Amino acid sequence: MTDTNTTKHLYQPTSPNLWQGRIDHEDGEAGRRFHQMVKVINDDRTPNAHPPGMVILGFCCDQGVVRNKGRIGAARAPDLIRKVLANTAWHHNNQVPLYDGGNILCQDHDLAGSQKELADHIGTALEQQNKVLILGGGHETAWASFQGLARHLHRQVKTPKIGIINFDAHFDLRSYSKDDNHYPSSSGTPFRQIADHCQLLGWPFQYACLGVSRASNTQALFNCAEQLQVFYREDHQLVTQQLDKRFAELQQFIDNCDHLYLTIDMDVFPASAAPGVSAPAARGVSIEIIESLLQPILNAKNAAGESKLLLADLTEYNPNFDIDSQTARLAARLAWQISHSMLDSSVLHSTTSPV
């Protein structure tokens, strides 16, 4: 049971004014944009309150970045990404609704409380057969995202095979103390927390980290990745000349998973393409390569023809250091691409009838 007195100050409905933009009346339905299709909902956790579709949630939190000694500002990111996404063109089937489920806030430095609140909202959205896209926030978002997905799947399967695919310059496998005192959890610990959670439940820990910068990860983190059998590729390995190998490896990883959770840390891109991040990358991975590697993830289907991708998040956009909204535009483009896949796969599933 959710304590409404506790959660009330952690939840904020999205202002409809954020979803504004150009309207091309002369083009009719073919001229529609995202802002014309979004339905803002106000923390409605009533079962089956809305037809299933896709839900956007914001996580206005960078407390994990503060703890990780990073540059703060990511808490402001969700609404700024929404503003850019609002004016992008709509190319989706209109049978599947798109909802904005509001923002989760972090108050009084209570990171665990805000992560639990986000996990609750994700779990509810998934239970109502929605796909979910989270706009972070620091990468502490990932621990909340996985908890929400894990709770949902654990109700259906005793041992779900969840594949985590993280485009990131960092492993985010830092050590932390369970009491959160000596080495508190942070934006650098989410996948270590997920690994411990999977071990506790007896689940496989299937984690792929693509774009790792050796210059930005200590040997201790590489040792941890090896110990946990993380599949990873470094930034210099994600290049055009090696793309066929990367496709084959990624497809093999996907084939061994029943469900996928995609997370993109904006610092995986070069600082020239994404200057507005908490930890800018000197090298990074090109937009073209990451867009190419997203395709097998977005297109992955299970034996029933349903999309394996249930949940995705975008993290570490820091508007305090952005230049001419360059990083916001890149984050919005990724959100546009991911939502395109989620909405279209929902259409396919809802309109497919048994033979």
Side-chain angles (χ1 to χ4, degrees):
M1 178 72 70
T2 302
D3 184 347
T4 55
N5 291 325
T6 302
T7 63
K8 192 174 183 180
H9 71 294
L10 297 179
Y11 176 79
Q12 182 182 72
T14 302
S15 170
N17 292 332
L18 284 174
W19 293 106
Q20 293 185 3
R22 175 172 172 163
I23 298 177
D24 299 321
H25 292 293
E26 68 276 16
D27 293 326
E29 290 190 2
R32 285 191 287 198
R33 298 172 186 271
F34 250 75
H35 69 88
Q36 295 171 277
M37 306 306 297
V38 175
K39 300 176 183 178
V40 175
I41 55 178
N42 186 3
D43 194 19
D44 192 341
R45 304 193 200 184
T46 306
N48 304 315
H50 306 282
M54 174 185 155
V55 176
I56 295 174
L57 292 167
F59 190 49
C60 300
C61 176
D62 52 17
Q63 180 61 30
V65 178
V66 173
R67 296 182 181 187
N68 202 28
K69 303 177 178 65
R71 308 193 300 179
I72 63 171
R76 294 177 51 228
D79 283 353
L80 295 177
I81 297 174
R82 283 181 173 102
K83 284 185 176 180
V84 180
L85 182 61
N87 212 37
T88 58
W90 180 267
H91 292 283
H92 310 297
N93 190 307
N94 299 330
Q95 293 178 334
V96 179
L98 172 63
Y99 304 111
D100 187 329
N103 288 327
I104 309 306
L105 313 178
C106 182
Q107 302 286 6
D108 303 321
H109 312 293
D110 183 10
L111 176 57
S114 63
Q115 288 171 320
K116 180 183 181 301
E117 178 74 1
L118 177 58
D120 288 346
H121 281 259
I122 292 170
T124 298
L126 291 171
E127 285 299 311
Q128 296 177 357
Q129 301 180 51
N130 295 292
K131 304 290 178 59
V132 183
L133 174 62
I134 312 299
L135 306 177
H139 217 167
E140 61 266 28
T141 305
W143 173 225
S145 291
F146 186 84
Q147 287 183 87
L149 178 60
R151 290 175 198 168
H152 167 65
L153 292 176
H154 200 27
R155 294 188 179 100
Q156 304 173 15
V157 184
K158 182 179 180 181
T159 309
K161 295 173 65 177
I162 305 171
I164 306 161
I165 303 175
N166 178 26
F167 289 95
D168 199 338
H170 308 91
F171 283 118
D172 289 344
L173 287 168
R174 291 184 180 278
S175 300
Y176 67 100
S177 53
K178 300 297 170 60
D179 60 7
D180 248 2
N181 289 327
H182 294 88
Y183 304 102
S185 60
S186 70
S187 62
T189 65
F191 302 103
R192 187 71 168 266
Q193 292 171 274
I194 293 171
D196 290 345
H197 189 64
C198 288
Q199 183 181 34
L200 181 67
L201 295 175
W203 294 1
F205 177 58
Q206 297 174 278
Y207 175 37
C209 190
L210 305 176
V212 174
S213 167
R214 188 165 287 268
S216 301
N217 293 266
T218 63
Q219 189 59 51
L221 291 169
F222 276 92
N223 292 344
C224 180
E226 296 289 349
Q227 180 183 357
L228 293 172
Q229 298 183 325
V230 174
F231 170 70
Y232 67 88
R233 288 293 177 263
E234 297 181 38
D235 47 13
H236 65 85
Q237 295 175 301
L238 300 185
V239 292
T240 303
Q241 299 92 317
Q242 300 182 34
L243 197 53
D244 287 344
K245 290 182 180 179
R246 302 292 86 88
F247 272 129
E249 294 166 343
L250 181 57
Q251 190 61 58
Q252 184 176 8
F253 179 88
I254 291 170
D255 290 343
N256 288 328
C257 304
D258 295 330
H259 311 281
L260 295 177
Y261 158 42
L262 169 66
T263 177
I264 303 176
D265 186 319
M266 296 301 294
D267 71 23
V268 73
F269 297 100
S272 58
V277 295
S278 299
R283 186 190 192 285
V285 183
S286 74
I287 298 169
E288 292 79 12
I289 293 293
I290 290 181
E291 268 197 328
S292 296
L293 292 171
L294 280 175
Q295 293 311 307
I297 302 168
L298 301 179
N299 296 333
K301 301 288 191 297
N302 61 21
E306 301 165 339
S307 175
K308 289 187 177 184
L309 181 63
L310 301 178
L311 172 68
D313 59 45
L314 299 168
T315 69
E316 299 285 347
Y317 164 48
N318 188 333
N320 290 352
F321 300 94
D322 207 3
I323 300 172
D324 193 27
S325 300
Q326 186 174 338
T327 315
R329 295 179 195 280
L330 177 54
R333 172 58 188 252
L334 292 166
W336 178 90
Q337 187 172 2
I338 292 167
S339 62
H340 191 285
S341 172
M342 285 184 165
L343 288 161
D344 287 353
S345 65
S346 296
V347 171
L348 179 64
H349 179 52
S350 65
T351 58
T352 300
S353 58
V355 177

